[in-house]
Amino acid sequence: MTSIAANLKVIRDRIQSACSRSGRDPSSVCLIGVTKTVPAHIVRAGVEAGLAVLGENYVQEARAKMEQLSDLPIAWHFIGHLQSNKARLAVESFDWIHTLDRVSLAREVDRQAHRQGKRVPVLLEINVGDEGSKSGAPAQEARSLLDLASSLDGIAVRGLMALPPYEDEPEAVRPYFRRMRELLEELRQAAPRPEELTELSMGMSHDFEVAIEEGATMIRVGTALFGPRLT
Ligand SMILES: *Cc1c(COP(=O)(O)O)cnc(C)c1O
């Protein structure tokens, strides 16, 4: 077994345990392998070991890998900060966009989706820790961003994404994950299509179990799968 296959097995076991603890079905949690800085041949080993969904942060880096891995059935999720001038390529290349965090970007993604004849599934990124250094809409603006984004038929708002403050102790992140779940519930009450608003993308290598216990439906795991990034 390659080390990636071994890591994947450990992570699947940990997902399973977190699900049993919280009475959830493991199939309700999508594992996204985060492959930023990971070379294509290693990503290939991950897919051969069983990864089906990958997350990338940079459009150009991702497109190079997509080309080298085009023979594999991979769903690509964009999880990095998206500049409006990259929206065209992002819509062209990715199956999901997790980081819709402002009205101007929503309009641009919608415009590109129309040009390409698509309806793009997106998540609204929320700056749940109100950190100046991070992108994401303030939680207080989630409702107005949802209202605007829901009126654009080139995008399908499917839920929320967050990158909470880093804490050494994963338990310390729990209140942020919980806040995200509550926010999703609040938004569902007001959403024009609540049945579409089901996803919570949250939890990374060191805190995904807590995220699952608080309702994550997509976890984004890099280092626990591929090892430390050499950057
Ligand atoms: C890099 C990254 C991850 C993965 O982080 P790890 O700690 O390596 O698991 C998840 N989400 C986002 C948005 C990232 O940029």
Side-chain angles (χ1 to χ4, degrees), residues 1-29:
M1 201 160 41
T2 66
S3 63
I4 295 168
N7 292 345
L8 184 57
K9 185 177 180 327
V10 170
I11 290 166
R12 293 227 190 271
D13 288 347
R14 289 168 60 189
I15 293 172
Q16 175 97 44
S17 306
C19 284
S20 329
R21 282 196 296 279
S22 46
R24 298 187 55 191
D25 181 340
S27 70
S28 68
V29 180

Side-chain angles (χ1 to χ4, degrees), residues 33-70:
V34 174
T35 50
K36 59 171 175 254
T37 79
V38 180
H41 69 279
I42 298 183
V43 177
R44 179 177 292 276
V47 175
E48 284 166 355
L51 281 175
V53 185
L54 300 181
E56 282 276 347
N57 295 60
Y58 304 99
V59 176
Q60 308 290 358
E61 180 190 339
R63 283 174 61 94
K65 278 178 235 181
M66 288 168 181
E67 211 173 287
Q68 298 176 71
L69 301 171
S70 60

Side-chain angles (χ1 to χ4, degrees), residues 170-183:
E171 272 304 320
V173 192
R174 188 182 294 276
Y176 297 106
F177 291 144
R178 184 166 296 167
R179 177 75 196 102
M180 289 298 295
R181 188 187 55 196
E182 290 165 356
L183 183 59

Side-chain angles (χ1 to χ4, degrees), residues 34 36 57 79-80 99 161 163 203-206 220-224 229:
V34 174
K36 59 171 175 254
N57 295 60
I79 63 169
T99 49
M161 179 270 205
L163 197 87
M204 318 195 336
S205 289
H206 88 297
R220 309 179 308 263
V221 177
T223 45
R229 285 179 288 274

Side-chain angles (χ1 to χ4, degrees), residues 104-218:
S104 58
L105 180 62
R107 291 193 191 283
E108 185 58 17
V109 170
D110 175 65
R111 195 169 77 89
Q112 297 298 340
H114 275 276
R115 292 174 64 165
Q116 299 178 33
K118 293 182 171 170
R119 185 162 184 251
V120 186
V122 302
L123 304 178
L124 306 183
E125 182 183 3
I126 305 300
N127 184 355
V128 67
D130 265 323
E131 295 169 281
S133 59
K134 284 200 181 144
S135 42
Q140 316 83 265
E141 289 172 21
R143 173 73 195 277
S144 58
L145 184 57
L146 173 68
D147 287 345
L148 180 279
S150 303
S151 74
L152 304 171
D153 58 10
I155 57 187
V157 184
R158 297 300 315 279
L160 303 177
M161 179 270 205
L163 197 87
Y166 180 86
E167 302 282 353
D168 288 328
E169 176 50 57
E171 272 304 320
V173 192
R174 188 182 294 276
Y176 297 106
F177 291 144
R178 184 166 296 167
R179 177 75 196 102
M180 289 298 295
R181 188 187 55 196
E182 290 165 356
L183 183 59
L184 182 69
E185 276 313 311
E186 287 164 33
L187 294 176
R188 280 168 63 93
Q189 314 282 328
R193 290 177 295 276
E195 69 285 356
E196 286 193 354
L197 205 62
T198 52
E199 307 300 322
L200 270 180
S201 166
M202 59 188 195
M204 318 195 336
S205 289
H206 88 297
D207 58 13
F208 69 82
E209 287 147 303
V210 177
I212 290 172
E213 289 169 13
E214 294 300 331
T217 64
M218 297 177 169

